[in-house]
Amino acid sequence: MPDPLCKIRPALSAVVLSTAVLVGCVPGSGSSGGAESAPGPPAGRAAVPLDNPDGTKPGLAPLTAETERAAAREVVEGLKVKGRGPRTGYDRDEFGYAWMDTADGVPLARNGCDTRNDLLKLHGQNVRFRAGSDCVVVSMTLHDPYTGKTIEWRKQDAAEVQIDHVVPLSYSWQMGSSRWSESRRRQFANDALNLLPVEGRANSAKGDSGPASWLPPTAGYGARMRSASLRWRSSTNCR
């Protein structure tokens, strides 16, 4: 039985193989569209996606060097692909309740802090916590990896920053995660490699789109999505 995340090579190949897409594109367009590249993240605050195998390094740096782009092309090449299946039966609860700390087997699990706050702590700067807590983030500065904006986030405006599933849960369901065990889906939904805090409006615009229909204006997204796909593929069914 083919594994779901083996199936996304064509769109990701377009992301990685096109220099224009790597340096900038129009949100939601799936093509460069002549847009200028968004500004990059602060120096030292963003990991190149191919050098972040478990997702526990902050930020999302663009692939700027030819060696990085070559490495990205190499990991994309050779995958067998199939089409997107039906959404029948999909429900967010199939992946466990949101931001559970008990999805054993992924980084940051069972550290006493829910996944959302873990991601805010990991990617934010100037992080402040609720009084008496070393978990609940109440304010931070975020360099949004999707729009290139710097966001001064406050908890009272919580929706301004949302946690995006790089490979969306509904998308993965249509690609075959409906056949996974419940425990594996919970791990997938809380894996730091497949999660990024981003501007809320950008996340809403993305929805459950795959890379063929939505790309952010900043670079690195395609390689991060590919890395998450590799992590969750079946070694016997994805070649």
Side-chain angles (χ1 to χ4, degrees), residues 51-128:
D51 189 34
N52 191 10
D54 62 3
T56 57
K57 296 180 181 180
L60 181 63
L63 303 175
T64 56
E66 177 53 38
T67 53
E68 294 170 350
R69 294 196 291 269
R73 288 193 292 266
E74 184 175 348
V75 298
V76 167
E77 293 300 322
L79 285 180
K80 297 179 179 180
V81 296
K82 291 190 176 181
R84 190 168 174 174
R87 198 170 181 269
T88 307
Y90 170 76
D91 189 286
R92 174 62 178 83
D93 290 345
E94 295 289 342
F95 294 81
Y97 64 85
W99 314 132
M100 62 197 313
D101 186 37
T102 55
D104 295 329
V106 293
L108 310 179
R110 294 192 183 274
N111 65 357
C113 187
D114 66 83
T115 303
R116 175 180 167 83
N117 280 294
D118 277 335
L119 270 291
L120 297 180
K121 288 192 293 181
L122 174 63
H123 292 275
Q125 293 179 282
N126 306 316
V127 175
R128 295 183 59 198

Side-chain angles (χ1 to χ4, degrees), residues 97-239:
Y97 64 85
W99 314 132
M100 62 197 313
D101 186 37
T102 55
D104 295 329
V106 293
L108 310 179
R110 294 192 183 274
N111 65 357
C113 187
D114 66 83
T115 303
R116 175 180 167 83
N117 280 294
D118 277 335
L119 270 291
L120 297 180
K121 288 192 293 181
L122 174 63
H123 292 275
Q125 293 179 282
N126 306 316
V127 175
R128 295 183 59 198
F129 298 96
R130 177 182 293 167
S133 172
D134 59 1
C135 174
V136 180
V137 178
V138 296
S139 68
M140 65 164 186
T141 301
L142 178 73
H143 178 82
D144 174 29
Y146 286 0
T147 67
K149 297 177 181 178
T150 297
I151 301 172
E152 299 297 335
W153 179 82
R154 300 293 182 269
K155 189 172 178 62
Q156 57 264 36
D157 298 315
E160 186 179 8
V161 168
Q162 299 174 12
I163 307 299
D164 178 50
H165 286 94
V166 178
V167 179
L169 301 185
S170 174
Y171 183 87
S172 79
W173 183 269
Q174 292 174 275
M175 291 297 196
S177 67
S178 57
R179 299 189 294 270
W180 287 356
S181 67
E182 184 176 356
S183 62
R184 191 179 186 199
R185 287 196 296 266
R186 289 178 176 181
Q187 291 173 330
F188 178 70
N190 292 277
D191 182 17
L193 183 60
N194 193 41
L195 296 170
L196 286 171
V198 302
E199 184 199 54
R201 284 174 294 184
N203 189 46
S204 296
K206 175 188 175 185
D208 66 352
S209 298
S213 55
W214 186 91
L215 292 172
T218 51
Y221 169 79
R224 181 67 176 254
M225 190 177 195
R226 180 68 188 91
S227 297
S229 302
L230 276 172
R231 178 177 174 87
W232 288 97
R233 75 179 185 175
S234 164
S235 60
T236 58
N237 292 321
C238 190
R239 297 176 173 85

